[in-house]
Amino acid sequence: MDRRKFLGVAGLTAAGAGVFLAGGCGGNSNTLKIVSSLPRTGSAQGQTDTIVNGIRLAMDEYNNELFGHKLVHQDMDDATAAQGQWDAGKEADNAREAISDKNVMVFIGPYNSGAAKQSMPILSEAGLLQISPAATWPGLTKVVPGDEKSGEPGIYRKSDKLTFCRVCPTDNVQGPKTAEFVARVLNAKTVFVLDDKELYGSGIAKLFMEACRTKEIGIKILGHEQLVKQNNYKATLQKIAQLKPDAIYFGGTSQSGGPQIAIDMKGENLTCPLIVPDGCYEKAFIEGAGADLFKDVTCYATIGGKDPSLLTTGAGAEFVKKYKEKFNKDPEAYAVYGYEAAKVFLEAAKAVGRKDREAIRDAVIKTKDFDKGALGKWSFDADGDTTLQELTISKIENGKFKPVKSL
């Protein structure tokens, strides 16, 4: 059995782990399919569970039916057990499988920016709409100053039509605003920067450092080190301790070493705050380090947009209420972005009123002043990015993320 056939069979047989059929099965002319491609294996599963829950919650609001077609959600995994994280080959396979199924009208995902680089060209060439709830690397949609030679984002656009858009703010919002928080709120004058050498981690660390060096922020960078994942980081943190920084910034994820850095900070008696980005804004980060550790290590985590606990009025509050009722737990940070991605697609498809990939793609990309989701009124800009530009900073207390500042 070749890889493609295996993926197809596995996707249809693993109902609990892989496929959720909201009233129908693919390959039927009376179905309209939403595909999501996320790391459903490995330590990011907790976060992607909430994204998938958000998608299904949105589908419920249409009774899993649009203009006479049954709504179907296919939950694709772009990770492998061996790697414990996303895999380039699986993400590309997922994209190819999606474009070959004529019932698929949208590809929601991926979670990781590196994975987006794999699926974007395939989906662009086929003209299939892609909405990411979590990929935040700016170069996916815009030219990053100083990175012009990469050819981004043009290398991902294989047709003259925009197919990729995202409902989450990008790292060029998160990096600079985090620097502003470190300077203005934490009153830090110096910082040591670590990153995991991956696209997301190194990219957001670079944007954070660029902001620190500006005259307006004025934070001195005592050092910057890139770390591959390892059992511990004691040697590095011993060197950092001698420099006595006011703060440590880690660009990376829960899966690429974030929890261990917090553990080793305590071991080396480093008492300055640790600041981590949205790749660590999940229970897996807190549980990986141990909730009690944060009684001794002060840690702030940032996320583009709003923490669900801040959705206290209107449609946002209604989303949180429905989520708790359906899943019997609080939504994690990216749940609302899964919901928002599905809602903007469903509303556009409803307005188009027919199963037409190109018409629905065009309607979604032209979204302006969208207010049918949970995040308030927003639009897609000319590059497919959301106009929402808010950053939430939370402190880890009692095993939870407690929002302390919105910028």
Side-chain angles (χ1 to χ4, degrees):
M1 183 179 291
D2 66 30
R3 179 181 177 84
R4 293 285 303 281
K5 289 180 179 177
F6 171 78
L7 287 170
V9 172
L12 291 172
T13 55
V19 179
F20 173 79
L21 301 180
C25 186
N28 187 314
S29 62
N30 289 323
T31 64
L32 190 155
K33 188 180 286 186
I34 296 173
V35 160
S36 60
S37 179
L38 304 162
R40 309 293 287 129
T41 303
S43 58
Q45 184 182 354
Q47 193 67 283
T48 60
D49 279 349
T50 69
I51 293 174
V52 168
N53 288 346
I55 293 169
R56 292 174 180 174
L57 191 63
M59 292 170 64
D60 284 350
E61 295 179 6
Y62 300 79
N63 294 318
N64 297 306
E65 184 272 338
L66 268 184
F67 44 83
H69 289 67
K70 294 178 180 178
L71 282 174
V72 175
H73 173 226
Q74 184 168 348
D75 183 0
M76 289 180 166
D77 187 356
D78 71 5
T80 64
Q83 295 195 41
Q85 62 178 7
W86 71 274
D87 174 84
K90 287 203 71 176
E91 175 69 9
D93 277 343
N94 290 349
R96 294 188 189 99
E97 186 176 339
I99 63 176
S100 69
D101 184 343
K102 300 306 180 186
N103 291 321
V104 175
M105 294 294 112
V106 63
F107 185 98
I108 295 181
Y111 180 73
N112 302 88
S113 295
K117 291 186 173 189
Q118 307 303 317
S119 53
M120 284 176 69
I122 298 169
L123 298 170
S124 174
E125 190 167 25
L128 181 59
L129 173 68
Q130 180 176 17
I131 308 174
S132 176
T136 55
W137 170 241
L140 298 177
T141 53
K142 291 179 170 63
V143 175
V144 177
D147 192 41
E148 291 82 356
K149 291 183 180 178
S150 70
E152 292 183 325
I155 55 174
Y156 311 123
R157 295 172 177 168
K158 300 300 182 183
S159 72
D160 58 355
K161 296 174 182 175
L162 206 62
T163 54
F164 178 85
C165 53
R166 48 188 166 188
V167 293
C168 54
T170 63
D171 294 341
N172 54 10
V173 174
Q174 190 172 186
K177 288 195 174 184
T178 301
E180 182 182 341
F181 170 78
V182 173
R184 307 274 187 264
V185 179
L186 300 184
N187 295 312
K189 305 298 182 188
T190 61
V191 65
F192 197 99
V193 178
L194 301 169
D195 75 60
D196 61 7
K197 293 187 74 172
E198 296 186 12
L199 174 66
Y200 162 77
S202 61
I204 197 166
K206 179 182 176 183
L207 291 166
F208 172 77
M209 289 190 289
E210 287 176 353
C212 287
R213 293 188 180 107
T214 62
K215 186 177 180 180
E216 292 76 17
I217 301 296
I219 297 176
K220 183 178 181 180
I221 298 170
L222 298 179
H224 169 218
E225 193 162 332
Q226 294 188 302
L227 305 167
V228 294
K229 189 176 181 181
Q230 49 199 271
N231 291 333
N232 68 72
Y233 304 93
K234 291 180 179 179
T236 298
L237 289 167
Q238 285 169 1
K239 290 188 296 184
I240 295 173
Q242 294 175 7
L243 297 173
K244 299 180 179 178
D246 293 334
I248 294 175
Y249 183 84
F250 171 63
T253 67
S254 305
Q255 296 76 45
S256 64
Q260 190 61 45
I261 288 172
I263 292 169
D264 291 337
M265 280 183 66
K266 180 181 178 182
E268 299 307 319
N269 296 316
L270 270 159
T271 57
C272 64
L274 171 66
I275 298 95
V276 296
D278 58 347
C280 297
Y281 204 106
E282 56 179 337
K283 286 183 178 178
F285 176 77
I286 298 175
E287 293 171 354
D292 286 346
L293 178 118
F294 296 103
K295 294 177 181 175
D296 302 306
V297 176
T298 301
C299 183
Y300 296 92
T302 63
I303 185 169
K306 291 181 180 292
D307 181 275
S309 67
L310 298 176
L311 300 173
T312 57
T313 60
E318 187 65 16
F319 160 78
V320 173
K321 176 175 176 288
K322 288 180 179 177
Y323 190 99
K324 289 181 176 178
E325 289 175 351
K326 182 174 178 66
F327 303 109
N328 197 32
K329 58 185 175 182
D330 293 329
E332 282 207 59
Y334 275 102
V336 70
Y337 293 107
Y339 177 81
E340 204 77 4
K343 282 290 291 187
V344 72
F345 160 74
L346 289 164
E347 282 297 309
K350 181 180 174 183
V352 169
R354 64 184 187 279
K355 202 165 88 175
D356 183 329
R357 278 185 180 177
E358 172 54 21
I360 294 172
R361 180 206 64 80
D362 186 61
V364 169
I365 292 297
K366 290 179 178 175
T367 294
K368 300 296 179 190
D369 297 329
F370 182 73
D371 61 358
K372 303 298 184 184
L375 294 174
K377 186 179 291 187
W378 57 271
S379 304
F380 283 129
D381 68 14
D383 298 305
D385 284 328
T386 177
T387 54
L388 288 173
Q389 299 291 300
E390 188 171 2
L391 181 75
T392 299
I393 302 105
S394 294
K395 186 177 182 181
I396 299 177
E397 291 183 351
N398 300 319
K400 294 184 177 180
F401 295 101
K402 181 181 179 181
V404 295
K405 188 75 174 178
S406 293
L407 296 172

